[in-house]
Amino acid sequence: MTVATTPAEQRVVLRNVSWEAYERLLRDHAEASSPRLFYDRGTLEIMSPSAKHEQLKDAVTMLVAVVAEEFGLNHRSFGSTTFRREDLARGFEPDACFYFANEPRVRGKEEIDLAIDPPPDLVIEIDITRSSIDKMATFAVLEVPEVWRYDGERAQFFSLHGREYVEIAESATLSGLTSKAVEGFLAESERMERLVWLRMLREWARSRRP
């Protein structure tokens, strides 16, 4: 077992965890917002987020929702929903995720089954501390088209090409929104009053509406 603790996040990594044990943990925490579980072929990471982590998650969720609305893009947030596939022995609970192009296929669904349903079009991970699990490999296997990662200072966007991710400067999902812009907005979200920040964000999005 490996334990990493910081003011931002606490991570516990367990090895040789069966799929059945992972499923039991999911059932035990079905109605809880934390901890977040990430499973990769027998390795289980249990992450308990801090207040800072959750504030950043909420800010980026609002950012995506506002920009999508102003850009005229229909979308649906699935938050930290559990996504898993037993046949691939992988599962994850993102900090935030959204359906855009595939939103009609999941509209009204109460549970997502990746064996028949598409993965989110956009997954967002707030990683103040680096995970010891290769999350990007799991996202690639589960065919998540776009992933954003934010470490508290730097934002990175990745687009799936074949079986690998390529870093991109501008979101493929929200064309016109760059990783540098997201860095600035998230930094400002920690300093500014929320209503002022939201007005600024909305004005920016309207000025760049496609």
Side-chain angles (χ1 to χ4, degrees), residues 34-49:
S34 66
R36 309 258 168 80
L37 306 180
F38 198 105
Y39 186 84
D40 180 2
R41 297 164 297 174
T43 299
L44 176 67
E45 179 184 82
I46 304 171
M47 192 274 284
S48 298

Side-chain angles (χ1 to χ4, degrees), residues 24-169:
R24 284 197 299 272
L25 283 170
L26 289 175
R27 289 193 296 270
D28 290 344
H29 296 89
E31 302 303 321
S33 60
S34 66
R36 309 258 168 80
L37 306 180
F38 198 105
Y39 186 84
D40 180 2
R41 297 164 297 174
T43 299
L44 176 67
E45 179 184 82
I46 304 171
M47 192 274 284
S48 298
S50 69
K52 178 179 180 180
H53 183 283
E54 292 299 272
Q55 288 179 66
L56 287 170
K57 179 208 72 173
D58 287 346
V60 75
T61 297
M62 284 187 280
L63 185 155
V64 171
V66 168
V67 172
E69 179 188 350
E70 294 300 333
F71 283 8
L73 298 174
N74 188 49
H75 65 285
R76 193 170 295 268
S77 169
F78 270 67
S80 297
T81 295
T82 300
F83 298 92
R84 61 194 186 278
R85 276 188 59 174
E86 183 176 2
D87 59 324
L88 299 176
R90 299 182 193 249
F92 69 94
E93 294 171 336
D95 287 311
C97 69
F98 297 84
Y99 283 89
F100 283 85
N102 284 313
E103 188 275 338
R105 295 178 59 187
V106 298
R107 190 182 305 160
K109 284 184 173 285
E110 295 182 1
E111 186 172 338
I112 301 297
D113 180 356
L114 289 185
I116 57 175
D117 297 319
D121 294 298
L122 173 62
V123 161
I124 299 171
E125 285 291 304
I126 307 296
D127 286 325
I128 307 301
T129 59
R130 184 171 296 277
S131 171
S132 61
I133 294 181
D134 185 357
K135 293 185 176 182
M136 299 299 284
T138 290
F139 296 147
V141 169
L142 297 178
E143 299 182 336
V144 176
E146 184 170 347
V147 178
W148 294 5
R149 300 182 73 174
Y150 184 65
D151 65 5
E153 295 182 358
R154 185 186 180 200
Q156 293 177 282
F157 294 174
F158 298 92
S159 179
L160 186 63
H161 290 261
R163 297 182 179 182
E164 297 183 352
Y165 284 101
V166 175
E167 187 169 0
I168 54 176

Side-chain angles (χ1 to χ4, degrees), residues 151-196:
D151 65 5
E153 295 182 358
R154 185 186 180 200
Q156 293 177 282
F157 294 174
F158 298 92
S159 179
L160 186 63
H161 290 261
R163 297 182 179 182
E164 297 183 352
Y165 284 101
V166 175
E167 187 169 0
I168 54 176
E170 180 179 314
S171 172
T173 303
L174 293 166
S175 180
L177 179 65
T178 66
S179 56
K180 287 297 181 184
V182 168
E183 285 178 8
F185 287 131
L186 291 182
E188 289 165 337
S189 76
E190 297 188 78
R191 298 190 296 265
M192 299 175 67
E193 292 183 359
R194 184 47 49 91
L195 290 178
V196 175

